[in-house]
Amino acid sequence: MKNLFLLFLFCLSLSAKSFIVSPLPLPRQEVLDIDSSECDEKCLEVLYTEGKLFSFVAKFNPLIKNPDLRSKLTEVLTNLDLFMKENFFEKIQDVKKIKIALMIPREVIGRYSATGINTILAYLTSRNASFLFEVFDSKNEEAQNLHQTYEEIRQKKFDCIVTLLTIDGIKNLIESTTIAIPTYIPTVNKNQLNLPKIPQKLFFGGIDYQKQIEILHKLALDDEVVEYDDASNIGNWLKTLSEQKFNIVFRDEISNQKAARFAQEIEAQEEHLKNRAVLLNIPVIKTGLILPQIGFLEEKPIKFLSTQINYNPSLLMLLKPKDRQNFFIINAIGKTDPYLIEYGLLLGSDLQYDWVSYSIGIGIEMFFLNRGEKISKFFSENMKDSQVEYVNKILKTYRNSFIEVKQ
């Protein structure tokens, strides 16, 4: 019995030792450069490509701002569990902190308030920038509220403003407020305003739906067109533009309810759809509901046409390939930095398919460039006469992807 008791005490003492915290710090791996030769950006690219990762880390100059190389450094440090000295990145902090304000009328734009926040944070994070970012909610687009919010931002001495406004909101802002800070509006194209004069420090990033409609008109040639619209702001704008260009023989406004029961509508519209082009000024969910019903017709439309409004990966899931044959979509979203795309997706922002997110990214980059910072551009678009210039491409769908149609 005594032996069993002694064995119990011995086991207890062993288990007790597992709760003792060592006073010694955990070991860390640090890479030292023992070669005095210099290594520029091309040299680092070669080291990374050849898998000489320890040399890549050892030779990395903290003054290098190349976002691709800095992302690769972060990746290597994480994967190899390496440690850099605490003052390694201090040398790049000589750049003045950028102060960016996001002004949103939350009651008006709804979910796009999150889009604005996420995209701005994604861009700033991917740049490893020193920044101050704050969100200001004007609640709505009434002139007084916009003016008060704008003045609050100005008094806090922000460098630049991104604001998500509609056409009415922009007009109210211009009428009530002196635009004293560089202000970027990603949601509206300047051509939509029809104003005699635009303030000098006001910039626009909305895509040009008028140009997209003109491209679709060329694709339609002399075809008679059946047009489907909806009652949204963009739907009404597209309807106005379409009336000026197409030979429309039948038009229908597609509500959510009508889209859901389109099988009951198709018989009455069958004669209109035979051998005609269909212009889809409706978003992707409604398109996904009505096109399968049209696909059951014996005599189908000869082609389907759409602006940016249907450039969405959901289209590929909602429609079978047979239901999207001869479907032409105009897209203004270009290519951007893959790391920025990844940061965006992590934060809930889609810079590949959501044109508002893409436009916001262009605006933030414009602010950086206007500060005189020497950065590699993530976006290829330029600003002309206060408006972002996009390159429109004609796309078709192929299996589970969009492909460009060469003109």
Side-chain angles (χ1 to χ4, degrees), residues 258-284:
K258 184 174 284 190
R261 54 178 174 80
F262 199 73
Q264 303 171 26
E265 304 279 338
I266 195 68
E267 185 176 349
Q269 299 190 13
E270 183 173 359
E271 286 299 317
H272 299 296
L273 291 164
K274 286 181 183 179
N275 300 316
R276 282 174 173 151
V278 176
L279 179 61
L280 297 160
N281 292 335
I282 54 176
V284 64

Side-chain angles (χ1 to χ4, degrees), residues 95-137:
V95 178
K96 180 185 175 184
K97 180 184 294 185
I98 188 169
K99 298 176 66 177
I100 298 178
L102 174 65
M103 186 171 80
I104 53 173
R106 197 180 297 270
E107 294 175 5
V108 178
I109 65 169
R111 67 179 181 87
Y112 275 110
S113 58
T115 298
I117 295 168
N118 296 339
T119 304
I120 292 172
L121 287 175
Y123 188 93
L124 295 172
T125 304
S126 65
R127 284 292 187 194
N128 195 30
S130 177
F131 65 89
L132 175 65
F133 173 50
E134 189 172 344
V135 180
F136 296 82
D137 185 5

Side-chain angles (χ1 to χ4, degrees), residues 284 310 312-321 324 329 353 396-402:
V284 64
N310 274 288
N312 190 307
S314 298
L315 187 79
L316 306 172
M317 295 181 286
L318 292 170
L319 296 175
K320 295 178 180 178
R324 43 184 164 90
I329 299 172
Y353 292 101
K396 288 186 69 176
T397 65
Y398 178 71
R399 295 182 180 175
N400 294 321
S401 63
F402 293 96

